Amino acid sequence: MKTRRSLLRSLFGIIAGGGIGSRVANSPSIINMDKNKNSYRNKNMASGYVALPGFCFSTLYTHLPQLFHFKRHRPTIIIDKFDYDRLMGRVVRERSNRNVQIRGNITETLRQRGDLKVIDYSKYYRPDEKGRLLEQYQNGLDELSEGTHERLASQALRGYERYGRGDYVKPFRDGLGNWESNVDRRNRLQKNRKRIERGLNDPKQFNKDIAAQYLAALTVREKYEKVSNLDFVGVLGQGEQESIARVVRSTDLDISLSQSGETLHRVGQPSIEETANYHEIFNEIQTAAHVATGVQHHDWFTVGPRLSIAMYPELYGQVDMDRINEDTRSVANETMDVLRYLDKEAADNQMIRIQSKAERIVEQHEMPNQKVQKIADQLNYQTDLANHSRDIRSLIDSERFSKESLLVATSVKSDPTARWTTDHIYRRAMELQNRLTPVSVPDNQLLFFIDRGDFKRGAVGKDWYHQNSQQQRPCVQNG
């Protein structure tokens, strides 16, 4: 029978990611791997992925097309409520920050669609358990030489530079509006890596800080699966996980995450190549829609298949959220009028030869023929959105409809599966009102949230999952 240590090593030995000195050969990525169809847990259960605590929202959203993969049944991505609270705190405080508002729109749209679920990680990762695991990992690091620490830290940083900050994400981050900040942070990552490779900074501390994220996510994944209706595929890594696996293989580390003897589960990451290909396809679809409609404004940010987010940040500064709160039914009724108007105007300017354009894209990207209809649906969707851009901008400048109804209408239009009933519009208005209602977010947490990844750029990790102490997280919202 395998010991817990050998089982741990065998599990870590098949994680995706690769890297220096890896003994893994042709490891499948769990993102694309078929689950065991004989498992009773898989029957009638949706699949789930757990995001690392303190993860980069932009990086996660970059890979949504591959995670969703044009499938009818999409997986559910789990994120920490603490990360959600801090992001939404910025959305409330920074109404004029276009980048923050876009990320808030993406996050809430995914949450409303059921693609994103928010849970409190601290309920599944107790302080005493956190302290024990971090201490055990520290003991494992203490067995390694300084040169090994430097190589592991360098490997992890190179993995994250390529996966989280690589040039392949430029089209996506250009649309998101934060490519320049991405380049700045990548330069700081490279500077830290070079300092570590020259024997400077503290590679051992860095290796512990990186592992702390994964230990937290892996523990949450195991605990939450037992009480949820999701069959978890695994944890979404960010390119550093093979470095952690090497620590486990190279030491006498003995970590168990449950009394039943289960240990760390597999970590995977979406493919860089597939992600880049998806964004190239989306760019071609958007370009075709804009050429067909003659609309120059890029007011919709494509996140995934049939999922685009409205980018009209000027609305947030003009909308009276108190009106949505106090007169929601009236706003919902007016929103229905806006939606009828948008559809009537868009119907007069449609793309022709949709099928042939879809066939060309499928052939060019060597996709299966059965994807033609999916691409055609996406072309129709993007054509409608391009048409809406012209009309929404005109309506914003006019006084024909209230800004509140325009905000709700653009939110509805981002989801082509939305049902156009007054009750649905009413609920959407209430969701927007709740999202933008001021919340009590400590200023120090907002500032820290912006720089929460600084431990990868030379600082010491100070987020809740890094601390051995009984640190309490200042969660700031209910729900």
Side-chain angles (χ1 to χ4, degrees):
M1 179 179 294
K2 288 186 176 181
T3 64
R4 289 186 301 174
R5 175 186 168 193
S6 64
L7 178 59
L8 173 65
R9 290 184 174 180
S10 68
L11 287 173
F12 255 130
I14 55 176
I15 62 176
I20 301 172
S22 173
R23 291 184 292 224
V24 183
N26 298 321
S27 300
S29 167
I30 68 163
I31 302 304
N32 296 320
M33 185 186 68
D34 288 333
K35 299 274 288 182
N36 180 359
K37 294 181 174 57
N38 295 323
S39 171
Y40 74 93
R41 284 190 59 83
N42 290 336
K43 295 180 179 179
N44 301 318
M45 295 182 70
S47 59
Y49 295 101
V50 173
L52 300 174
F55 74 104
C56 174
F57 280 86
S58 298
T59 300
L60 175 65
Y61 298 153
T62 299
H63 293 280
L64 286 179
Q66 188 191 349
L67 292 172
F68 293 161
H69 200 60
F70 292 101
K71 291 179 180 177
R72 180 177 300 176
H73 301 292
R74 299 185 178 198
T76 299
I77 299 170
I78 307 299
I79 67 170
D80 185 11
K81 183 176 184 294
F82 193 35
D83 292 329
Y84 172 83
D85 285 346
R86 291 185 290 184
L87 172 63
M88 300 316 293
R90 292 193 65 197
V91 169
V92 171
R93 300 280 184 89
E94 303 176 43
R95 298 281 179 88
S96 61
N97 187 324
R98 174 180 177 274
N99 298 338
V100 170
Q101 295 303 323
I102 292 173
R103 278 181 284 174
N105 279 346
I106 295 172
T107 303
E108 274 306 280
T109 299
L110 290 170
R111 192 183 190 197
Q112 291 162 10
R113 289 160 59 113
D115 296 324
L116 203 68
K117 183 175 177 60
V118 179
I119 69 170
D120 185 352
Y121 280 20
S122 66
K123 290 183 179 180
Y124 304 95
Y125 194 33
R126 302 185 310 274
D128 59 331
E129 187 171 30
K130 174 178 60 176
R132 175 178 58 82
L133 290 175
L134 291 177
E135 182 178 359
Q136 289 185 24
Y137 200 84
Q138 179 70 60
N139 292 339
L141 291 174
D142 290 342
E143 298 180 25
L144 305 178
S145 67
E146 187 66 21
T148 300
H149 283 302
E150 293 172 5
R151 289 192 294 274
L152 292 173
S154 176
Q155 176 187 4
L157 281 166
R158 285 182 183 276
Y160 182 69
E161 286 171 26
R162 181 170 180 262
Y163 173 80
R165 305 288 182 186
D167 287 340
Y168 78 102
V169 301
K170 188 177 188 303
F172 186 87
R173 285 189 179 266
D174 275 339
L176 196 60
N178 65 0
W179 172 248
E180 294 304 322
S181 63
N182 178 72
V183 171
D184 174 67
R185 296 197 174 200
R186 183 173 65 184
N187 290 339
R188 291 165 61 190
L189 284 170
Q190 293 171 344
K191 182 177 180 180
N192 184 37
R193 173 172 55 79
K194 291 175 182 177
R195 285 180 59 82
I196 286 176
E197 291 171 350
R198 293 198 303 268
L200 305 173
N201 288 3
D202 188 347
K204 183 189 292 188
Q205 181 65 49
F206 170 82
N207 289 330
K208 181 181 178 182
D209 287 341
I210 283 288
Q213 277 189 299
Y214 286 83
L215 291 173
L218 287 160
T219 306
V220 170
R221 190 223 67 83
E222 181 193 37
K223 299 290 182 60
Y224 185 65
E225 183 176 31
K226 295 177 180 178
V227 298
S228 76
N229 60 350
L230 296 174
D231 185 26
F232 280 94
V233 180
V235 169
L236 295 176
Q238 295 187 143
E240 313 107 336
Q241 55 267 28
E242 176 59 19
S243 178
I244 300 171
R246 283 174 58 82
V247 174
V248 175
R249 291 198 298 264
S250 303
T251 69
D252 290 327
L253 191 63
D254 183 18
I255 294 178
S256 177
L257 295 182
S258 72
Q259 295 298 320
S260 65
E262 285 191 54
T263 62
L264 304 183
H265 288 256
R266 289 197 289 185
V267 178
Q269 67 187 48
S271 161
I272 287 175
E273 291 74 18
E274 285 193 37
T275 293
N277 188 53
Y278 275 121
H279 288 302
E280 184 178 339
I281 293 172
F282 288 143
N283 285 337
E284 291 182 26
I285 290 172
Q286 285 181 305
T287 298
H290 282 85
V291 169
T293 59
V295 176
Q296 300 301 315
H297 295 292
H298 292 262
D299 292 322
W300 299 86
F301 179 61
T302 300
V303 184
R306 294 175 66 77
L307 176 57
S308 293
I309 306 301
M311 298 195 298
Y312 299 93
E314 59 267 33
L315 277 176
Y316 292 95
Q318 301 176 26
V319 166
D320 181 358
M321 299 309 300
D322 288 336
R323 179 175 177 241
I324 296 181
N325 183 40
E326 297 167 1
D327 197 13
T328 310
R329 184 65 64 178
S330 175
V331 171
N333 289 333
E334 187 181 12
T335 298
M336 292 289 287
D337 292 335
V338 175
L339 293 171
R340 293 188 188 100
Y341 175 86
L342 293 176
D343 272 6
K344 178 180 181 298
E345 294 299 310
D348 295 332
N349 196 10
Q350 295 297 307
M351 183 185 297
I352 61 174
R353 295 190 292 277
I354 288 278
Q355 201 72 12
S356 62
K357 288 182 173 64
E359 291 172 356
R360 179 182 57 80
I361 292 175
V362 165
E363 181 180 0
Q364 180 179 346
H365 291 274
E366 299 180 349
M367 302 168 69
N369 288 333
Q370 55 265 38
K371 297 293 184 183
V372 170
Q373 188 55 51
K374 294 288 187 181
I375 297 296
D377 291 343
Q378 187 75 9
L379 284 166
N380 275 317
Y381 173 52
Q382 290 296 332
T383 300
D384 284 342
L385 295 184
N387 281 316
H388 296 330
S389 294
R390 172 198 58 208
D391 301 316
I392 290 172
R393 284 194 168 276
S394 175
L395 292 175
I396 289 175
D397 295 334
S398 74
E399 296 183 357
R400 179 167 182 171
F401 299 106
S402 70
K403 299 299 188 294
E404 293 76 32
S405 64
L406 290 174
L407 177 64
V408 179
T410 57
S411 173
V412 172
K413 276 299 182 182
S414 69
D415 183 1
T417 65
R419 294 172 53 206
W420 284 22
T421 65
T422 303
D423 286 341
H424 174 85
I425 305 303
Y426 178 87
R427 288 194 300 272
R428 182 60 60 92
M430 288 302 298
E431 288 164 352
L432 285 171
Q433 189 275 331
N434 291 334
R435 172 160 64 92
L436 296 179
T437 298
V439 293
S440 176
V441 181
D443 288 340
N444 66 321
Q445 286 299 325
L446 292 184
L447 292 173
F448 177 78
F449 183 64
I450 296 172
D451 293 324
R452 65 195 179 283
D454 265 4
F455 70 91
K456 297 180 182 179
R457 300 183 283 271
V460 175
K462 295 181 180 179
D463 217 327
W464 68 274
Y465 49 85
H466 288 126
Q467 308 301 314
N468 291 66
S469 65
Q470 301 282 324
Q471 180 192 21
Q472 297 297 315
R473 308 189 320 168
C475 288
V476 294
Q477 287 184 331
N478 295 323

